[in-house]
Structures are given as C-alpha cells and as structure tokens.
Amino acid sequence: MKRFLGVLLLTVLSIKISFGATDYIISELGQGIYYHQGVHEDASAHNIGAIANVSFVVGNNCVAVIDSGGSYLEGSYLRHAIKDRTNLPICYVINTHVHPDHTFGNAAFKSDNPSFIGHSKLAAAMESRQTYFDQTFKEILGSAYTGTEFISPTQIVETNRPITIDLGNRILTLTAHSTAHTDHDLTVYDDFTKTLWTGDLLFIERVPVMDGSINGWIKVMYDMLSLDLNCVIPGHGSPAHSDWQVAINNQLHYFSLMRDQIRSIIANLGTIDQATQSVGLSETSHWELFEHYHRRNITASFVELEWE
Amino acid sequence: MFKSVINLMLISFTLMLFGLPAQAATPKEALWPTLKVAYFGDKPVRENANDLLVIEAPKRAEDAAIVPITVKSLVAQTPDKYIKNIHIIIDNNPEPYSANFHLSPDLGLIDISTRMRVDQYTDVRAIAEMNDGSLHMVSRFVKASGGCSAPAGKDATAALARLGKMQIRMRTPTVGEPVQAQVIVSHPNYNGLQFDQASRRYIPAHYVKNINISYNDRSLINVDAGISISEDPSIRFTFTPNVNGVLKADIVDSKNQTFTLQKEI
C-alpha cells in the first residue's frame, strides 16, 4: 500500500512538475551546430511555448543564436544549454520572423548584450502584434511567459541585400526575403557545412502556417530548391539531410494544390466558406495539426488570390 | 446617419477608455447588457429572432483578421414592412459597434456577407431594425483563433500599394432574376489601436467608413463601417435587377478619400 501510494505520489508529481531544464533536449548536428526541436503542439503552459526549432552555432570567437524560443523560460533554457557547452560570448541573436515561438526568448539573452538581428520589417511586425501577443500569450503560457519582452532588432537585413556575420572562422550569411511565410522572413546559411536555417519558410511534418503571401511563398520555395545544400533546419520538424528537396517539394505541393483549387473557386464566384470546406482535403493525413491551421491557410490565401 | 454612427463609436471608445476590458483577455463578464444600453438606449431588443434573421459565422475564427460573417433575412423586404438597418456588434472587439447596413426595401430577401476581425472569444450579433423602429436580434458565438494569428494585416506594403483598387464581381445577370454580387475595395483598414514605439503615439486609424452600393442611383445597401471590418473590405450581397442599368459602389474612407466603380447590367 505504501509502495502504491509512493507510485501515486510520483505520478502526481510528474504531472504537476511541468517542463524543466533537464527535459530541454539539445541535439548536436556536428561542426558546432546545436538545436532544440520543438514539439508539434500548440503553445501551452505545459510545453512552455517550445514548439519551434531553436539553434545555436559556435564559432571560434562567438556564438550565434538562431531563434530564441517561445517564452522567456525557453530562452533561459537555451541560454543555459549554450553556457554548458562553451564560454564564448553570445554575440548574435537572430530572429527569423516575429512569431512568438521564434522571438519570445529574446529577453533571456539581454545580459549578453548581443546584436539582435532581423529583417528590416521585423520591428514594424512586432509593433503591430505586440498588444495582441501580450494579452493572448500571457494566458496561454502562464508563468513561462514571465520576463518575456518584445525586443526589436538592433541590426537589420534588407531584402535582396544579404549580410554576413563572422563567429570566428565561421561565416553565416543572412538573407531577408520578400513576403512569403510572413512579410519579414530571414534565412541563415552556414557556408562551412552548407546548412540552411529556413525559419518558417519550411515546415516538416507539421502543417505550414501562412501569415504572408501564398504566391510569394511558392516563389521562395522554388528559389530554395536550386540551392546547393547538405542540410536544412526547418522552423518546425526534423532537420533534413539528403532528402531536403523532398521536404520542400512536399510543402510546395501543399500550397500549389491549395492555390489551384482556391483559384478555381474564386473564378466561379465562390466564397471563403466554400473554400474552407473543400480545398486541399487530400493533404489531411500528411501533416500534423492539419485541423488547426489548414482552414486558416485557405482563408488567408483566398483574400490574397482575390486580387490576382 | 454618419453622425449617429460616429456617436456610437464615440460611446464605445469611451467605454474602452473607462476600463472595460477592451484590450484585456476575453472578459469574464458579459458586455452585452452595457452595450445594449449604450447603442440602443432603453428600446427593447427581441432576442433569438430566428423567425426573421439568420447569422452565419464560423465556430472558430480561423484567421483572426478575416472572419466571414453572413446575415440573411427569412422575410422578404416589402415597401410596407422591411428591415431598415442591420447593426453588427462584436462584443469583445476593441470597437464592438462594427457596422450598420442601411437596406433598401427593394432588396427582396437579404443575403449579405462581409469579413470581420475577431480579436477574442466573443458573441457576434446582428440586430435588425425594422422600418417601424422595432429591434430583433440573432447572435453567434465565435471562438478566437489560436496562436500567432494576430488581427494585424499580413503585408502592409502590399495593402497600401493597392489602396483604392476596387472590384465588382458577379455573373452575367438576367433582368428580373436575383443575382449575387461582390464589392471589394483594397484598403489597409488601420484600426488606430496600434502603438508606435518611436513616436510614442497611436498610429492614426485609416479605414473605410462608408460603402454605398446603388443600382440606377437608388441605394441598395449603405454600410457605415467601423474598424472591425477586415483589411480589403468586401460586401457580398444578392439583388434583383428589374431593368437594365448601372450597379455602382462608392467608398469613403476616414481621410475622406473616395473611390468608385460601376458596372453596366
């Protein structure tokens, strides 16, 4: 009976204790590249908002963080993981775009006084969403949110004018894109390993979310396919190696199919409701969280394609 | 008519300033009793008027910035008895009073759709005001969208670049037959609630405030619109052209810029 009670107590405890630093798993890709893979869930107090992939790259002199996590708490876990592995300073915190799961950890790195780098339109995007994000995510994330701040970039990248940063014998190239997943997507390329961080320009396993332009995104995906890469770290899902083009093609298929079907509904003077009920259903079983975001993608694409 | 809407908006802005949780999380207490008095005074509002009106809205706002809302009447408009106005109220939006559709008795059965911003869990109400002044309400509850779907626009530059572009979309109509048409105007519809960190000021609201849709110079639908209307306002409606003529849409925004487009039938 005692033992039973003990087990029961342990069970209760393990339910009570939410996500701790020890559960925060960091994987190593080799050559100084580390990442934490986000879970395929919506942000919650339980998962502390750790739903996106966050990474860091260690050069000879400096560390660069690529996306800071979905809460202050995740940011602090990520920082802890970096400090466990190197004494080098964190010189750069790069945000691939504004969404909470990629930026909410920024404040955890304030004491490192890094350059916060983002697309030239990131600050405006943050400003226009700040009130909404604050009120929404305070509720969603609970105590993990405490300490979260909206930190705008201190260094910006303009569209079509890539910049490079040097971590010490390690050059990263940062490219700002025109509207695709959002109107301020930034990708990071490591020349040494031919690794590309796509931010949310690529979702693997988890259904992509459109918060920019379907036409723009399809174009960016075609451009990406022609790159010479060994590895792709997506915004969500497992990093892809030799099969990275398959991953991009899967996402391209999802959006191309959707675009074709929405265009024909618009041509027939159909409505958003008709579109959300019928478009892209053949993709249902191919993606995690499909039910959560697919109709939203249709809605957003519909109002864009109305103006073609 | 403008004036009354502006008054209503002032009332709700005042409500907002005086601590009603416009920007806070979904309020626990129902706002409707307060809103009802603010907008309609002590006039009775008949609830669940399902014999007169239908409101359609998705159960969940898939995209907080674009929530399609449709209002249909079940009783045809006649010169003696008709719906004069349909007020749309979204309780928990920053500006609950969202639109007033002034309707012609010529419209037959009402079938109007538009797209709204829905910030949080809320009741969405359509209140029909008859030509005798009586008020009849139907409502739907809409859940907020999850996560990163903010009511902000997706591409501000693109929205501004095509500001004022318009479309009238419809099939080739037959005289005497009801036909569905859609008027869309490209406009960022800034809601005035965004704060500019640099200037420490709110970015001024800039939105479409009136859409008048007329046929042969007789107004069919005249919409006084507020900041809850989505970017690129769209009005979809059904009407019956009884003679050949010109369908025209006139738009006025809050900076008094005007845009117009017409289509011959």
Side-chain angles (χ1 to χ4, degrees), chain B residues 31-32 43 82 89 112 154 178 193 209 211 223 235 237 241 243 250-251 257-258:
Chain B
L31 277 179
W32 172 239
K43 271 181 145 185
Y82 63 96
I89 292 169
I112 297 175
K154 290 174 178 53
L193 296 170
K209 66 176 185 182
I211 301 171
V223 193
I235 308 288
F237 61 100
V243 289
D250 291 291
I251 313 286
Q257 288 177 286
T258 58

Side-chain angles (χ1 to χ4, degrees), chain A residues 131 135 139 266 268 296 306, chain B residues 23 25 115 149 169 171:
Chain A
T131 313
Q135 73 184 33
E139 267 191 25
I266 291 173
N268 282 310
R296 175 200 159 142
E306 244 173 1
Chain B
Q23 289 285 307
R115 299 160 188 171
S149 156
R169 298 168 47 83
R171 291 185 206 285

Side-chain angles (χ1 to χ4, degrees), chain A residues 205-226:
Chain A
E205 299 135 25
R206 180 184 177 121
V207 71
V209 178
M210 216 283 280
D211 197 16
S213 156
I214 186 171
N215 285 337
W217 199 349
I218 287 174
K219 190 182 168 300
V220 168
M221 283 185 264
Y222 276 117
D223 292 346
M224 249 190 240
L225 280 172
S226 62

Side-chain angles (χ1 to χ4, degrees), chain B:
Chain B
M1 229 358 144
F2 264 151
K3 213 176 152 193
S4 69
V5 169
I6 288 166
N7 279 339
L8 286 172
M9 289 180 177
L10 277 177
I11 289 170
S12 57
F13 194 67
T14 315
L15 285 176
M16 212 170 80
L17 289 178
F18 282 94
L20 280 173
Q23 289 285 307
T26 305
K28 306 286 179 277
E29 242 173 80
L31 277 179
W32 172 239
T34 316
L35 296 175
K36 177 173 172 280
V37 175
Y39 300 143
F40 303 107
D42 53 8
K43 271 181 145 185
V45 177
R46 182 169 71 97
E47 303 200 353
N48 302 316
N50 304 315
D51 52 347
L52 178 69
L53 219 54
V54 175
I55 182 166
E56 293 169 2
K59 285 197 182 74
R60 187 183 176 90
E62 303 294 350
D63 184 325
I66 314 147
V67 180
I69 288 168
T70 300
V71 179
K72 295 176 179 171
S73 69
L74 300 171
V75 182
Q77 302 278 82
T78 66
D80 295 336
K81 191 181 177 193
Y82 63 96
I83 299 172
K84 195 172 71 174
N85 297 309
I86 293 178
H87 309 267
I88 306 289
I89 292 169
I90 304 177
D91 291 14
N92 295 336
N93 266 14
E95 159 61 72
Y97 193 92
S98 301
N100 185 358
F101 292 80
H102 310 287
L103 305 173
S104 155
D106 302 342
L107 268 176
L109 281 170
I110 309 294
D111 184 350
I112 297 175
S113 306
T114 187
R115 299 160 188 171
M116 301 285 198
R117 295 172 171 138
V118 172
D119 287 26
Q120 39 190 304
Y121 284 63
T122 186
D123 280 307
V124 177
R125 304 169 190 281
I127 294 145
E129 182 179 350
M130 305 300 293
N131 58 328
D132 66 7
S134 60
L135 299 167
H136 310 264
M137 178 170 82
V138 289
S139 68
R140 283 289 295 268
F141 188 72
V142 177
K143 287 184 183 172
S145 70
C148 60
S149 156
K154 290 174 178 53
D155 189 343
T157 317
L160 270 181
R162 54 164 199 254
L163 186 145
K165 272 195 183 175
M166 289 178 67
Q167 299 183 50
I168 296 178
R169 298 168 47 83
M170 61 195 297
R171 291 185 206 285
T172 312
T174 311
V175 167
E177 301 278 330
V179 63
Q180 202 172 53
Q182 183 190 14
V183 169
I184 335 179
V185 55
S186 193
H187 200 288
N189 253 32
Y190 289 130
N191 64 11
L193 296 170
Q194 292 134 336
F195 195 70
D196 180 4
Q197 295 294 343
S199 64
R200 308 295 299 165
R201 289 169 59 174
Y202 283 94
I203 300 163
H206 182 201
Y207 60 95
V208 168
K209 66 176 185 182
N210 186 263
I211 301 171
N212 186 36
I213 301 166
S214 59
Y215 192 61
N216 287 340
D217 294 326
R218 283 187 62 166
S219 177
L220 296 171
I221 302 172
N222 186 304
V223 193
D224 289 326
I227 54 171
S228 294
I229 303 273
S230 301
E231 181 178 302
D232 299 344
S234 159
I235 308 288
R236 187 186 281 268
F237 61 100
T238 302
F239 80 110
T240 306
N242 284 321
V243 289
N244 286 311
V246 177
L247 182 67
K248 189 163 176 246
D250 291 291
I251 313 286
V252 185
D253 78 8
S254 56
K255 290 184 178 169
N256 286 322
Q257 288 177 286
T258 58
F259 312 101
T260 186
L261 184 66
Q262 60 184 48
K263 194 174 183 110
E264 280 194 37
I265 288 173

